[in-house]
Amino acid sequence: MVHNGIEYGDMQLIAECFDLMQNVLGLSHAQMAETFATWNEGVLESFLIEITSKILREKDPKTGQPMVEMIVDKAGQKGTGKWTSEIALRHGVPGNRR
């Protein structure tokens, strides 16, 4: 359960980085993909960072547009992220100890 909670937190951070890169820095999808690939070579190396760089390079075969722009901006959750946070708060400990 804690593992899933950490992954939800990582995915949220990736989404926040994507938003800042696109809407504040004005980076293209290719530039963002390269940034995530570079991050994956250092201390941020992880499966989620790796696939983010790959996903940002994908194009929709019908429109030629970046695939991430074709995906509905909506997410659901099963509750494990919320449970992890609640338990960490209840016990007064950080939810992510590495």
Side-chain angles (χ1 to χ4, degrees):
M1 181 173 75
V2 172
H3 172 80
N4 290 349
I6 292 168
E7 282 187 336
Y8 280 116
D10 286 348
M11 288 186 285
Q12 181 64 39
L13 287 170
I14 290 169
E16 298 282 344
C17 288
F18 173 85
D19 184 61
L20 289 171
M21 289 176 175
Q22 184 174 45
N23 297 313
V24 176
L25 299 176
L27 298 182
S28 68
H29 290 87
Q31 289 170 314
M32 288 187 273
E34 189 56 40
T35 300
F36 278 100
T38 300
W39 288 350
N40 197 52
E41 295 171 1
V43 297
L44 296 178
E45 179 186 7
S46 72
F47 174 72
L48 293 174
I49 296 292
E50 177 186 0
I51 63 168
T52 299
S53 70
K54 291 178 180 180
I55 290 166
L56 286 167
R57 290 185 172 95
E58 289 295 316
K59 302 279 187 198
D60 176 47
K62 292 182 181 177
T63 65
Q65 297 296 314
M67 186 63 79
V68 294
E69 299 301 332
M70 308 307 293
I71 299 169
V72 177
D73 189 12
K74 181 179 178 181
Q77 60 115 346
K78 297 181 285 182
T80 52
K82 179 182 172 193
W83 300 331
T84 302
S85 298
E86 288 174 347
I87 291 169
L89 287 169
R90 183 178 313 133
H91 293 285
V93 298
N96 183 358
R97 289 185 182 179
R98 289 190 179 187

